[in-house]
Amino acid sequence: MKILVPVKRVIDYNVKVKVKSDNTGVDLENVKMAMNPFDEIAVEEAVRLKEKKVCDEITAISIGSSKSEETLRTALAVGADKGILVETQEEAQPLEVAKILMEIINKNKPDLVLMGKQAIDDDSNQTGQMLSALLNWPQGTFASKLEVKGKSLNVTREIDGGLETLNMDLPAIITTDLRLNEPRYASLPNIMKAKQKPIEKITPKDLNIEIKQRLKTLKVTEPDKKEAGIKVDSVEELVSKLHNEEKVI
Amino acid sequence: MSVLVIIEHDNQNIKNSSLNTITAAKEIDNSVHAVVLGENCSKVSEQVSKCDGIEEVFVADDLIYKNHIAENISPKIVELADKYSHILAPSSTFGKNIMPRVAALLDVAQISDIVSIENKDTFVRPIYAGNANLKLQSTDTKKIITVRTTNFEATKINGGNGKITKIEKNEDPNLSKFVKNELNKSDRPELTAAGIIISGGRGMESGKNFNLLEEIADKLKAAVGASRAAVDAGFVPNDYQVGQTGKVVAPELYIAVGISGAIQHLAGMKDSKIIVAINKDEEAPIFQIADYGIVGDLFKILPELSKEIDKINS
Ligand SMILES: Cc1cc2nc3c(=O)[nH]c(=O)nc-3n(C[C@H](O)[C@H](O)[C@H](O)COP(=O)(O)OP(=O)(O)OC[C@H]3O[C@@H](n4cnc5c(N)ncnc54)[C@H](O)[C@@H]3O)c2cc1C
Ligand SMILES: Nc1ncnc2c1ncn2[C@@H]1O[C@H](COP(=O)(O)O)[C@@H](O)[C@H]1O
């Protein structure tokens, strides 16, 4: 079985994001970047399937600037076999990302696509579902458990009321949630080995895809700041404030 | 052109999230239609038709819609899409699962999680875990939108007299099959609709200790939430998680207990009206957004809190 894992280079989740003073976006200069955490979970799941001999080849793919090669190297260091970099200076929105992935899939014919449920920069939570619709493949979103049995797949999903299990046949699209696994760190020898693994570089144009900004950014602003309140010394004082002044209890 | 709202329900009752979404739809246009896809869901379509401002409710009643499988529902919405300029669903796991499919099938972008509507093609949505607000303009002719429900009031289930129109089901795409669900039953209010929420974090130390929170929740008619750390540690089920990648809540009162206040958690609760933090570390970031903070050991504070609430309740 072949698995494709799309990985996005995003601002590290620990970085305090700052809005640019001209309100055109957020400041990405000299900020630490990393693989989208949900994509780390997707890579880990693929590697575990490989270790269980369910999967024999993992391809990581990233769409973005030449720097996204770093993100692919990270995936290769954890256990992906090869990478594809679709290089573009323009920001590709989820529908375009899904179309690029569809073209790649039509060529590479993976059996399973494992990807993040959400990129923590745009917080869109769209690409997997869009890709699944474009390919007319089944989708198992927000997965917290995956069981592959031959050509069939049981996926447990985290939904608002609890958990739900779906069954589907391969090929399928799975998007990961936080509880699916705990990603490992790459070891130093594996980081070195990853430098030798192949990365194919293409552009959206090679796939006949034009990147359009269907959603135009008009303005990016800081949210209203909430002022820190007061510290109270006793529970009695707290309850009195909540009851008598705020009237919320 | 009118606006179409995809109704979230459990085949018995409309979900609150749909009521907030209808309000957002009414801000876009006076003419609001709705669609109910489910099984044995006539009660839901009646409720929707009574919602203030709904002109027409389409309902397709069939087994293939019973479990809200995205692959089954999205083709029906696409069939209906012609007549509408905007199609809205709540930004719940229901809406998030379905709407991007609809958008892709219609070849338009989706606008996720809107918090305000500037005009028919301009919307505001949070990005970067709520660290920034993006005002964007959609250039597509059709807008596929998910709505952050906490930013829109709930429409009342009365005053409306929408026409109920039965529609045919679409063909079963036979892609995903429902196996089972494990839904967490609780007599407490739903997190996203609760007026008061008390949430626990890693500081709670165990699932058993959540009893301390539940006891207080019952006295305040509150819902119980949690941080990711508490869910990951198995103290409580996944659907308790509040945050960037969990549920977004905005109650009148949010009490954070043993939660440090990571940005991903704040993203899900910082719009609460009054925030109370209980934490033994006076430097914990949660205090920066708390209206009232108490520094101390939660295992000492929670029993006291429970007693003080008894005093005001009696
Ligand atoms: C991709 C991604 C998505 C995420 N999404 C979410 C999300 O949706 N929601 C979310 O919550 N997190 C999310 N997180 C995790 C987030 O970054 C934090 O790790 C998490 O919120 C921490 O949970 P916590 O505050 O319970 O734990 P900690 O940060 O460990 O804090 C525990 C707190 O309890 C206090 N404490 C301990 N014992 C006591 C005691 N006896 N009395 C009083 N106080 C005590 C400590 O002082 C400390 O402040 C996400 C992270 C990533 C990478
Ligand atoms: N530029 C990109 N390159 C590779 N994968 C991406 C890219 N954008 C989105 N994805 C994938 O789609 C998932 C969901 O992203 P989004 O829909 O933007 O929230 C991510 O977790 C990635 O797996």
Side-chain angles (χ1 to χ4, degrees):
Chain A
M1 166 161 111
K2 291 207 290 188
I3 299 182
L4 184 74
V5 190
V7 293
K8 187 178 187 185
R9 182 173 183 266
V10 299
I11 199 162
D12 185 271
Y13 81 96
N14 270 316
V15 171
K16 176 92 187 73
V17 173
K18 287 202 185 68
V19 172
K20 283 200 231 168
S21 53
D22 63 1
N23 297 112
T24 55
V26 307
D27 202 350
L28 295 175
E29 296 269 328
N30 303 318
V31 211
K32 189 175 173 217
M33 303 293 281
M35 186 190 295
N36 182 39
F38 288 99
D39 305 350
E40 290 179 5
I41 296 172
V43 174
E44 174 67 33
E45 196 65 15
V47 172
R48 289 187 190 187
L49 288 171
K50 198 171 172 199
E51 287 166 347
K52 283 191 219 152
K53 310 247 182 289
V54 175
C55 153
D56 36 44
E57 188 189 79
I58 303 169
T59 306
I61 170 167
S62 195
I63 298 147
S65 75
S66 57
K67 294 216 175 95
S68 295
E69 184 172 340
E70 289 166 21
T71 314
L72 289 172
R73 292 284 168 211
T74 308
L76 296 172
V78 175
D81 299 290
K82 52 187 196 183
I84 302 174
L85 174 62
V86 184
E87 211 176 317
T88 165
Q89 286 310 317
E90 265 162 289
E91 177 222 338
Q93 293 172 351
L95 185 59
E96 265 73 44
V97 173
K99 286 182 179 178
I100 289 170
L101 294 175
M102 177 175 71
E103 293 300 329
I104 304 271
I105 287 165
N106 285 338
K107 274 198 204 135
N108 294 33
K109 307 235 178 309
D111 304 278
L112 181 62
V113 180
L114 278 167
M115 57 201 289
K117 80 162 178 182
Q118 173 175 345
I120 60 160
D121 51 0
D122 61 36
D123 282 334
S124 292
N125 198 326
Q126 299 175 3
T127 310
Q129 298 87 314
M130 288 182 157
L131 178 61
S132 153
L134 294 176
L135 290 163
N136 197 31
W137 286 9
Q139 73 181 37
T141 53
F142 328 143
S144 64
K145 193 172 162 207
L146 201 63
E147 291 169 284
V148 185
K149 300 173 197 148
K151 283 270 161 211
S152 151
L153 198 69
N154 268 5
V155 48
T156 304
R157 310 177 52 232
E158 292 198 356
I159 57 171
D160 284 340
L163 296 171
E164 174 188 81
T165 306
L166 298 178
N167 174 268
M168 57 193 69
D169 287 339
L170 297 174
I173 310 284
I174 299 297
T175 77
T176 60
D177 216 318
L178 296 169
R179 259 68 62 179
L180 184 60
N181 61 47
E182 231 176 281
R184 73 194 69 186
Y185 293 100
S187 67
L188 199 56
N190 285 344
I191 293 174
M192 299 312 288
K193 262 194 251 162
K195 296 198 169 139
Q196 310 304 323
K197 291 186 181 175
I199 291 181
E200 181 191 350
K201 289 182 188 164
I202 55 173
T203 66
K205 232 176 121 209
D206 297 332
L207 303 167
N208 279 321
I209 287 178
E210 197 193 332
I211 295 196
K212 294 182 243 172
Q213 305 285 307
R214 292 154 176 269
L215 304 177
K216 287 203 163 60
T217 295
L218 298 184
K219 200 172 183 188
V220 176
T221 52
E222 279 208 24
D224 297 340
K225 279 254 170 346
K226 191 161 175 146
E227 295 294 314
I230 56 165
K231 296 238 170 72
V232 291
D233 292 321
S234 71
V235 176
E236 194 181 349
E237 188 186 345
L238 173 70
V239 171
S240 149
K241 296 257 185 218
L242 296 178
H243 185 60
N244 299 318
E245 287 177 30
E246 306 289 357
K247 302 197 188 312
V248 287
I249 61 172
Chain B
M1 272 207 277
S2 321
V3 181
L4 180 69
V5 175
I6 317 303
I7 299 297
E8 177 174 12
H9 61 87
D10 60 6
N11 294 311
Q12 300 289 320
N13 289 298
I14 183 171
K15 291 254 163 120
N16 284 311
S17 59
S18 304
L19 301 174
N20 309 99
T21 308
I22 291 172
T23 302
K26 290 195 282 194
E27 275 188 38
I28 296 171
D29 198 291
N30 289 329
S31 170
V32 178
H33 295 186
V35 58
V36 177
L37 301 174
E39 194 222 16
N40 285 329
C41 55
S42 55
K43 188 173 153 209
V44 179
S45 33
E46 276 156 33
Q47 288 169 341
V48 178
S49 78
K50 289 198 196 99
C51 285
D52 184 39
I54 293 285
E55 287 179 356
E56 186 164 7
V57 189
F58 297 100
V59 50
D61 194 319
D62 193 89
L63 193 60
I64 69 165
Y65 303 126
K66 181 177 175 189
N67 296 300
H68 315 304
I69 305 250
E71 296 91 319
N72 297 3
I73 285 184
S74 43
K76 194 75 229 176
I77 301 171
V78 171
E79 266 176 44
L80 292 170
D82 257 7
K83 289 189 290 184
Y84 300 98
S85 57
H86 297 70
I87 305 180
L88 273 59
S91 179
S92 53
T93 52
F94 166 86
K96 284 174 181 165
N97 195 36
I98 293 166
M99 294 302 264
R101 291 189 71 87
V102 174
L105 295 171
L106 293 169
D107 195 31
V108 301
Q110 180 190 290
I111 308 156
S112 293
D113 227 9
I114 61 163
V115 293
S116 76
I117 298 163
E118 301 278 310
N119 57 47
K120 284 184 198 277
D121 61 12
T122 306
F123 307 90
V124 179
R125 59 177 300 258
I127 51 175
Y128 292 93
N131 278 308
N133 281 327
L134 166 66
K135 189 197 282 186
L136 63 85
Q137 184 176 27
S138 159
T139 56
D140 288 313
T141 49
K142 244 180 236 314
K143 327 289 186 213
I144 306 300
I145 294 173
T146 63
V147 175
R148 180 168 287 200
T149 53
T150 48
N151 290 73
F152 299 87
E153 299 267 309
T155 294
K156 295 208 163 50
I157 312 187
N158 63 47
N161 187 18
K163 178 177 159 210
I164 299 181
T165 307
K166 288 212 163 108
I167 53 174
E168 290 296 307
K169 67 161 180 132
N170 49 285
E171 220 178 286
D172 187 348
N174 258 317
L175 288 171
S176 290
K177 286 167 281 296
F178 176 82
V179 179
K180 62 171 181 184
N181 59 25
E182 295 147 68
L183 301 181
N184 300 309
K185 292 223 165 54
S186 162
D187 297 331
R188 292 190 200 93
E190 239 180 272
L191 260 181
T192 46
I196 302 178
I197 295 173
I198 182 161
S199 285
R202 200 193 311 269
M204 294 304 298
E205 288 177 11
S206 75
K208 196 163 148 265
N209 291 335
F210 264 74
N211 290 342
L212 297 167
L213 301 182
E214 283 159 7
E215 183 186 313
I216 293 169
D218 290 339
K219 292 181 186 176
L220 295 176
K221 300 197 173 44
V224 179
S227 70
R228 171 191 176 181
V231 177
D232 282 6
F235 301 170
V236 287
N238 63 282
D239 62 325
Y240 279 47
Q241 184 181 309
V242 170
Q244 177 190 15
T245 61
K247 284 182 181 149
V248 176
V249 300
E252 292 289 299
L253 172 63
Y254 188 92
I255 308 175
V257 186
I259 292 177
S260 61
I263 185 72
Q264 291 85 5
H265 188 78
L266 303 189
M269 46 63 78
K270 67 183 164 64
D271 291 335
S272 306
K273 192 157 156 261
I274 302 291
I275 296 172
V276 171
I278 301 172
N279 198 303
K280 68 178 179 191
D281 172 12
E282 64 176 329
E283 302 291 321
I286 189 79
F287 287 125
Q288 288 165 21
I289 65 149
D291 298 279
Y292 298 102
I294 297 197
V295 180
D297 185 352
L298 66 91
F299 294 106
K300 192 174 147 277
I301 292 171
L302 288 176
E304 281 181 38
L305 182 58
S306 185
K307 278 205 200 102
E308 288 297 324
I309 292 167
D310 285 341
K311 285 192 203 160
I312 58 163
N313 277 352
S314 65

